[in-house]
Amino acid sequence: MIRRMAAWIARNHWRFSPMNLYEKFERHRFDSRHGVDTQIDVHLSELNIDSPNKLHGNRYHATPPVSFRRVLKKLKVNLADYTFIDFGSGKGRTLLMASDFPFKRIIGVEFGEQLHRHAVANILRYKARHDTPIQSLNVDATQFALPDGPLILYFFNPFDEIVLRQVLANIRRAAAASQRKIFILYLYLQNEEVFQETGAFSLVFRWHRFDAFECLLA
């Protein structure tokens, strides 16, 4: 019994750490603090989505604010040079948080029309710290054409490895066609082998459930 308890504590001690408790507090007060609606999870089975990739998508779950801010700072790049893109942007919380940083442009990619409309409403309500253009696009991630210039691409486990492979292939083609810096921030990565198998992505750092990759120039 003692050994089982010790093993449980070893696996779950982070749940009671000061940072995790603060994270929970910030996550739940984000909406009331900013007058938006981003917290409640949405399962794709509840939505009408006209795409075969609905079978490969995961639920919408809001990004934790504290970790998001810290992981962006850990990249150590001039964010003003970069366009930020969230794949599977849902209700738009990550877009709103990104607008507190001086990005060149912010784009959400969401194939669920209802979630997309929700994001548009939240963007209109949110009072950002910067005048960065923010838009939510109602488009399938596999069909999205990456814009020019340096990019930071964000994923909160939005889909399975089938769609992820297609999206990473599009990223590789974009990098080969126009050489520029492309970073990927991935929260709760479950298919690391998809990044490893191509040899096109280099791990920059791993921190607190985040993996950061750089797309290698061809």
Side-chain angles (χ1 to χ4, degrees), residues 118-135:
H118 211 120
V120 170
N122 284 324
I123 290 169
L124 292 174
R125 295 191 196 106
Y126 193 77
K127 295 181 180 179
R129 296 179 186 172
H130 299 275
D131 294 328
T132 305
I134 311 173
Q135 62 183 144

Side-chain angles (χ1 to χ4, degrees), residues 1-12:
M1 176 66 73
I2 294 175
R3 282 197 293 267
R4 286 201 297 270
M5 288 179 63
W8 186 91
I9 292 171
R11 290 193 305 270
N12 295 278

Side-chain angles (χ1 to χ4, degrees), residues 8-24 27 67 188 208-209:
W8 186 91
I9 292 171
R11 290 193 305 270
N12 295 278
H13 71 280
W14 63 271
R15 296 178 184 273
F16 308 102
S17 67
M19 178 179 173
N20 192 57
L21 294 175
Y22 177 51
E23 185 81 89
K24 285 185 176 181
R27 176 183 290 181
S67 294
Y188 284 115
H208 194 59
R209 301 167 292 175

Side-chain angles (χ1 to χ4, degrees), residues 34-94:
H34 298 288
V36 295
D37 179 11
T38 66
Q39 174 65 21
I40 298 176
D41 291 1
V42 178
H43 293 268
L44 298 190
S45 59
E46 303 170 15
L47 305 175
N48 295 320
I49 299 175
D50 186 19
S51 169
N53 286 326
K54 180 178 181 179
L55 297 173
H56 305 293
N58 296 323
R59 64 173 177 163
Y60 164 76
H61 188 70
T63 291
V66 177
S67 294
F68 178 76
R69 291 193 291 266
R70 292 190 181 184
V71 80
L72 276 182
K73 292 176 181 178
K74 289 180 74 67
L75 269 182
K76 300 185 185 305
V77 298
N78 183 10
L79 299 180
D81 295 333
Y82 287 79
T83 294
F84 177 89
I85 302 172
D86 181 8
F87 283 87
S89 49
K91 296 181 180 180
R93 173 181 285 192
T94 306

